[in-house]
Amino acid sequence: MTAPPPKSLNEAVVEIEQRIARTRVRLKPFPHIVVDDLLPPSMRRQLDQYWPNADRLAASNFFQRGELLVSSLAQAADGDEQAFWQNLRAISVRSNRAARARLQRHFVDKFRPLLGPAWRRSLGGAAYLDRDAMLADYTGVVDLAPHVDHARVVINGFVYLDDPDQPTPEPRRGTMLYHSIGFAWPSNMTIPKVVRDRFLREEVEVGWRDNRLLAYINGPWSFHGVPRHDLGAARRRLLMFGALLDDTTMERIYDPELR
């Protein structure tokens, strides 16, 4: 039986966009989508091939996390590797925008608590930063307490990526989504533990699966985290992207305390 010809980049992206558009939006505990097998198999294999060494990843303030923009990788590479990073950036951006379109009807969950009943008029023609993606990996003990992301983040999304060099020890934890008992929090400031323990309850864990996308509305009750577990020598690898309000929109719609 003759194998089908490989899809072009645009054909692969269109297929992803259509799958995201058909994906059911899960409303509990807050609007989110889960899409399996996001990246085409050939691109997923190349991502392992070209994944940067730890010394190329910039340290962040999230535990032992390293991160690097895909555009930076493309600028530093050439030949086939450069083409790969350029293609990954393109597919990430269009997947990101498709996720935003799928979740857009739920923007009320984010903006009404922050801007009030006239949030649509206040938001107006918002502009978004959504033209890049980031690689990130964690090592050692991961223990990400429940939190919401910064108020400028409208949609957050990431793709889980297995480590081919060192299998992650069980149990492999994904992302925990929390039910809020009448509690909201405007941005990514630290929540006192006594408040978290009293008003947040684990509701559903989006389990770890290679090449699985989780994307969600980042509203004042979009509490999520990662339960404590020890990765050992393995890496928790992510392809991250999202939709952020640009600086002009931030200055126009938000109180200075939220910027």
Side-chain angles (χ1 to χ4, degrees):
M1 193 171 178
T2 304
K7 293 183 176 68
S8 68
L9 177 66
N10 187 63
E11 288 172 330
V13 174
V14 168
E15 182 178 295
I16 290 172
E17 290 171 329
Q18 292 173 343
R19 288 171 53 213
I20 291 174
R22 295 192 300 265
T23 297
R24 176 176 64 90
V25 178
R26 309 179 189 190
L27 299 179
K28 294 183 178 181
F30 49 84
H32 65 283
I33 59 173
V34 177
V35 182
D36 286 335
D37 303 318
L38 183 80
L39 300 175
S42 60
M43 179 168 283
R44 176 64 193 89
R45 290 191 296 270
Q46 285 180 296
L47 193 48
D48 288 341
Q49 176 185 349
Y50 292 125
W51 192 272
N53 295 328
D55 58 0
R56 295 183 63 191
L57 300 174
S60 77
N61 59 344
F62 295 102
F63 301 99
Q64 299 182 63
R65 177 173 125 180
E67 58 189 31
L68 191 60
L69 290 172
V70 173
S71 59
S72 298
L73 288 162
Q75 290 170 4
D78 54 25
D80 290 345
E81 182 178 353
Q82 183 179 63
F84 167 75
W85 293 122
Q86 290 170 339
N87 289 342
L88 181 67
R89 181 181 179 185
I91 205 169
S92 298
V93 168
R94 286 178 59 177
S95 299
N96 181 19
R97 292 175 179 173
R100 171 155 59 95
R102 187 70 187 96
L103 291 163
Q104 190 163 6
R105 63 176 295 191
H106 302 283
F107 275 15
V108 61
D109 283 32
K110 175 176 181 62
F111 290 114
R112 194 181 195 284
L114 299 175
L115 302 178
W119 66 271
R120 288 184 179 85
R121 184 168 65 250
S122 299
L123 191 61
Y128 298 93
L129 303 176
D130 60 0
R131 295 179 292 277
D132 209 341
M134 178 181 289
L135 304 186
D137 67 29
Y138 301 75
T139 59
V141 175
V142 177
D143 185 9
L144 192 58
H147 65 286
V148 299
D149 298 316
H150 193 283
R152 80 180 302 165
V153 179
V154 181
I155 303 293
N156 199 8
F158 37 83
V159 183
Y160 301 144
L161 301 167
D162 283 347
D163 181 356
D165 301 320
Q166 179 70 39
T168 304
E170 299 291 344
R172 300 202 300 175
R173 306 306 298 265
T175 304
M176 184 66 69
L177 310 184
Y178 292 82
H179 168 68
S180 168
I181 305 174
F183 171 59
W185 200 246
S187 194
N188 64 340
M189 301 170 289
T190 301
I191 306 170
K193 184 177 185 301
V194 65
V195 176
R196 298 197 312 261
D197 292 348
R198 184 166 184 178
F199 296 112
L200 298 178
R201 300 290 183 271
E202 293 183 352
E203 179 153 326
V204 62
E205 182 171 354
V206 179
W208 183 277
R209 176 176 168 173
D210 182 61
N211 208 9
R212 167 176 282 176
L213 166 68
L214 166 63
Y216 56 87
I217 291 280
N218 175 50
W221 42 73
S222 298
F223 297 101
H224 61 285
V226 180
R228 180 182 176 88
H229 63 296
D230 190 349
L231 297 168
R235 298 170 294 178
R236 178 186 177 90
R237 304 191 311 167
L238 302 172
L239 170 65
M240 306 177 67
F241 47 72
L244 289 71
L245 297 172
D246 75 346
D247 290 340
T248 300
T249 303
M250 288 283 292
E251 292 173 3
R252 178 171 58 81
I253 70 171
Y254 279 153
D255 184 282
E257 294 298 321
L258 278 179
R259 295 177 199 164

